[in-house]
């Protein structure tokens, strides 16, 4: 089961089965200690991080840079999808995929927050011209 | 009463691309689908959710748009499809 971990030097928070060997923020090795959800939430609540729509565009480009997939070069399509994603965040709280619908069960709905794990989608898996369900991400040409 | 519904999203490119085919279907056959937008209309969203047990098994375990459903037979297709497949579904 995933747990919360906190770097005792810089308060970096990690959520996972085990903590990083070296803190990616301050570089100190073996720095993480397991903490309660409440403690992790309080540390996270100290700083409101600005993250604009433009930042998300940069984030998905960076995310795809080292991967076998890329952001769809069809700018018109991407703009429509991002408009939907941002509308969904404003109206429904998270960056939900504009080509699917929430079920009102958060654990289930987290599976459709962009970027989702589209590697398992039948529209992507084992397909040379694969893309995620909505088409925001497509497999790079070999 | 039989309803032929197209659940769609305003910012879903697959749905946008299906719209001219839905219009063509109407012009050719007189069959008009009920186009229900689900991200900007909570009533439509809840209606789509009510069909989850029918839709999800055929749509990757999720509610995906577009979904075309015949509420009488629960016959459905989801995603972008060609005109012939749309017509076949609508005229079944």
């Amino acid at each position: 089961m995933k747990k919360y971990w906190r770097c005792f030097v810089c308060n970096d928070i990690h959520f996972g089965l085990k903590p990083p060997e070296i803190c990616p923020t301050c570089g100190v090795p073996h720095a993480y200690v397991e903490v309660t959800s409440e403690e992790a939430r309080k540390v996270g609540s100290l700083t409101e991080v600005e993250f604009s729509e433009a930042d998300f565009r940069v984030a998905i480009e960076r995310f795809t840079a080292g991967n076998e997939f890329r952001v769809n070069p069809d700018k018109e399509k991407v703009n429509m999808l991002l408009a939907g994603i941002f509308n969904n965040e404003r109206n429904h709280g998270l960056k939900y995929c504009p080509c699917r619908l929430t079920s009102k069960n958060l654990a289930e709905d987290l599976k459709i927050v962009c970027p989702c794990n589209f590697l398992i989608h039948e529209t992507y898996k084992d397909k040379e011209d694969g893309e995620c369900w909505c088409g925001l991400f497509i497999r790079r040409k070999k | 009463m039989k309803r032929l519904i197209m659940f769609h999203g305003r910012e879903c490119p697959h749905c946008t691309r299906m719209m001219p085919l839905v219009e063509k279907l109407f012009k050719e056959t007189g069959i008009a689908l009920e186009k229900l937008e689900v991200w900007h209309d909570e009533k439509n969203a809840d209606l789509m959710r009510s069909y989850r047990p029918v839709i999800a098994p055929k749509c990757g375990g999720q509610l995906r748009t577009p979904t075309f459903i015949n509420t009488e037979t629960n016959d459905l297709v989801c995603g972008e499809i060609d005109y012939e497949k749309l017509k076949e579904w609508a005229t079944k």
Side-chain angles (χ1 to χ4, degrees), chain A:
Chain A
M1 201 176 118
K2 288 185 184 181
K3 295 168 178 175
Y4 285 101
W5 312 81
R6 179 177 64 80
C7 170
F8 82 115
V9 175
C10 71
N11 277 343
D12 193 281
I13 295 291
H14 177 77
F15 178 58
L17 291 179
K18 56 182 186 179
E21 292 278 318
I22 298 170
C23 175
T25 302
C26 67
V28 172
H30 313 298
Y32 282 85
V33 62
E34 194 180 327
V35 297
T36 62
S37 310
E38 180 61 15
E39 184 173 325
R41 264 195 296 274
K42 280 190 174 164
V43 171
S45 70
L46 280 179
T47 315
E48 197 62 42
V49 181
E50 290 286 327
F51 191 72
S52 67
E53 294 178 1
D55 290 334
F56 184 69
R57 285 177 182 264
V58 173
I60 57 174
E61 289 292 349
R62 280 191 187 141
F63 160 62
T64 56
N67 269 310
E68 62 177 30
F69 47 82
R70 58 176 294 196
V71 175
N72 197 321
D74 183 340
K75 288 200 169 23
E76 203 180 321
K77 189 179 202 177
V78 168
N79 284 339
M80 178 187 276
L81 286 165
L82 289 178
I85 288 167
F86 298 141
N87 279 338
N88 285 346
E89 185 173 45
R90 273 189 291 274
N91 301 331
H92 305 282
L94 285 168
K95 291 184 174 68
Y96 292 116
C97 177
C99 301
R100 284 174 285 175
L101 180 66
T102 49
S103 62
K104 291 188 171 173
N105 171 318
L106 184 59
E108 194 58 37
D109 293 341
L110 287 176
K111 294 176 187 169
I112 67 163
V113 174
C114 185
C116 68
N117 178 16
F118 56 85
L119 301 184
I120 58 172
H121 287 179
E122 69 280 10
T123 51
Y124 186 85
K125 197 181 174 189
D126 302 327
K127 286 202 166 171
E128 216 170 288
D129 57 349
E131 54 182 57
C132 67
W133 176 255
C134 75
L136 182 60
F137 299 106
I138 62 167
R139 194 186 291 279
R140 288 180 196 277
K141 300 270 184 238
K142 280 180 184 166

Side-chain angles (χ1 to χ4, degrees), chain B residues 7 21 53 67-68 74:
Chain B
F7 288 114
L21 303 191
T67 287
F68 301 88
N74 283 342

Side-chain angles (χ1 to χ4, degrees), chain B:
Chain B
M1 197 184 78
K2 176 179 169 178
R3 296 171 76 181
L4 290 176
I5 299 174
M6 174 194 188
F7 288 114
H8 69 97
R10 190 196 293 167
E11 300 95 347
C12 162
H14 303 300
C15 307
T16 308
R17 279 206 292 271
M18 286 306 296
M19 288 306 178
L21 303 191
V22 172
E23 291 311 309
K24 185 179 169 186
L25 179 77
F26 176 64
K27 280 180 189 156
E28 270 193 18
T29 67
I31 298 171
L33 308 186
E34 276 183 72
K35 291 178 274 188
L36 303 181
E37 204 287 332
V38 296
W39 271 119
H40 300 271
D41 187 314
E42 205 49 28
K43 209 173 139 194
N44 290 345
D46 280 339
L47 182 65
M48 187 178 188
R49 288 183 187 113
S50 74
Y51 287 106
R52 186 181 176 85
V54 180
I55 297 173
K58 290 181 180 172
C59 300
Q62 298 173 330
L63 296 174
R64 295 174 168 183
T65 56
T67 287
F68 301 88
I69 182 167
N70 176 330
T71 61
E72 194 176 60
T73 61
N74 283 342
D75 190 31
L76 68 95
V77 277
C78 59
E80 237 178 290
I81 51 175
D82 62 32
Y83 180 70
E84 288 312 311
K85 197 171 175 189
L86 177 70
K87 192 175 166 184
E88 188 190 325
W89 164 81
T91 54
K92 240 183 208 174

